[in-house]
Amino acid sequence: MEMTKTVLVIGASRGLGLALAEEYCRRGYQVIATVRKPSEALIRLQQAYPGTLEIEDNVDIVQLHEVRSLQQRLHARTLDVLFVNAGISRATEQTPLQVEEQDYWEMLLTNALSPMRVIELFHAQVTQQGVIAVMSSELGSITQSTGFWELYSSSKAALNMLMKAFAARHPHDPRALLLIAPGWVRTDMGTADAVLDVSESIPRVVDVVTQNEGKPGLRYMDRFGEILPW
Ligand SMILES: NC(=O)c1ccc[n+]([C@@H]2O[C@H](COP(=O)([O-])OP(=O)(O)OC[C@H]3O[C@@H](n4cnc5c(N)ncnc54)[C@H](OP(=O)(O)O)[C@@H]3O)[C@@H](O)[C@H]2O)c1
C-alpha cells in the first residue's frame, strides 16, 4: 500500500496558495497549510477535507520567531513537498526614484529573504526523494525582463539568486530544488487583467512538482516544466 504523502504549503490563505492546498487535498496528500491569520476560505476547504487538511495559524514568514515556532510544532513531521508560496507586490508601476523605501524593503524581505529562511529551517525534514519548491515568477528572469513591474521583479530575481546560493551550499542534496513560475494568474496580486484562471495554473504547477520527485538539483521552471533562463 502506498504511504500518504505530506505537503507543507506556506502562505495558503487565498490566491495561489489556497489553490495549492486544494489541489494537494484533491490528490490525496496530507496537507499542512499555513496562514498569518484565520482564512475563511481555507477553513471551508478544511471542512471539505476533514482529517486531510491541517491549518497552522500565526505564521507570518517575515516574523522569524513565528517560523521557528512553526518548525518546533512540526519538528517530528516528515515532508514529501515543502512549497513556499507567500509573496507580496508593492509599488508595481514605480521606479527606484519613486518608490517608498519601506515598500521596497517589505518586498525584499517577504519575497526573497523570508522564503529562504523557511527553507533553511525546514529543508532537513524533506525526504530524500522530496521536493523543495518556492513560488518565483517569470518576472524574476533577468534575461527575459522587459522592465515590467521592475521593483517586484527584482525581488523575485533576488529570491532566485538566494535559492541558487542555497543549492551551491548543498552540492550533494538529493532533493529537487524548484523555483516555479506559475504564469500570470487572476488573483488579488495578479489582478483581473491576468490571462490565466487559477485552475489553468495550479494543477500544472503541482504536476511539475510531482514530475521532479527524485530528481536532484536546482531548476527554474514554468508551469509546463520548461526551464526558464536566469
Ligand atoms: N498571481 C500571479 O500572476 C503570480 C505570478 C507569478 C508569481 N506569483 C507569486 O505567487 C505567490 C502567490 O501569489 P498570489 O497571486 O496568490 O497573491 P495573493 O493573492 O496576493 O496572495 C498572497 C498570499 O501570500 C500570503 N502572504 C503575503 N505575505 C505574507 C507573509 N509575510 N507571511 C505569510 N504569508 C504571506 C498572503 O497571506 P495574507 O492573506 O495573510 O495576506 C496570501 O496567502 C506569490 O509569491 C507571488 O509573488 C503570482
Side-chain angles (χ1 to χ4, degrees), residues 33-185:
T34 77
V35 291
R36 289 197 269 200
K37 49 188 182 327
S39 146
E40 280 179 25
L42 193 61
I43 291 168
R44 273 199 300 278
L45 184 63
Q46 189 179 43
Q47 286 159 355
Y49 290 95
T52 292
L53 175 59
E54 303 166 47
I55 301 178
E56 291 285 345
D57 293 325
N58 301 316
V59 185
D60 183 332
I61 60 165
V62 166
Q63 303 299 327
L64 187 53
H65 67 279
E66 294 188 7
V67 182
R68 283 193 194 283
S69 161
L70 176 75
Q71 196 275 327
Q72 281 159 13
R73 295 198 295 282
L74 299 179
H75 76 277
R77 304 293 293 271
T78 297
L79 306 174
D80 297 284
V81 178
L82 166 62
F83 204 127
V84 188
N85 166 75
I88 58 170
S89 58
R90 296 268 188 279
T92 51
E93 306 300 333
Q94 293 180 354
T95 64
L97 263 186
Q98 296 165 334
V99 67
E100 293 285 344
E101 286 179 4
Q102 185 67 23
D103 283 340
Y104 192 62
W105 296 138
E106 280 178 17
M107 223 162 21
L108 280 180
L109 198 56
T110 309
N111 294 353
L113 190 68
S114 301
M116 294 313 301
R117 285 176 160 171
V118 173
I119 289 170
E120 297 280 0
L121 286 172
F122 278 95
H123 78 91
Q125 289 171 238
V126 179
T127 62
Q128 302 279 293
Q129 294 287 307
V131 178
I132 298 171
V134 54
M135 203 65 99
S136 184
S137 168
E138 282 84 351
L139 297 180
S141 169
I142 290 173
T143 304
Q144 292 192 327
S145 175
T146 61
F148 184 74
W149 281 22
E150 63 189 82
L151 300 170
Y152 168 84
S153 297
S154 73
S155 74
K156 290 295 188 181
L159 168 69
N160 290 359
M161 175 61 91
L162 290 174
M163 190 72 159
K164 193 152 189 179
F166 177 88
R169 271 192 282 118
H170 300 85
H172 308 298
D173 199 319
R175 286 86 53 90
L177 306 175
L178 304 183
L179 288 152
I180 301 190
W184 188 20
V185 191

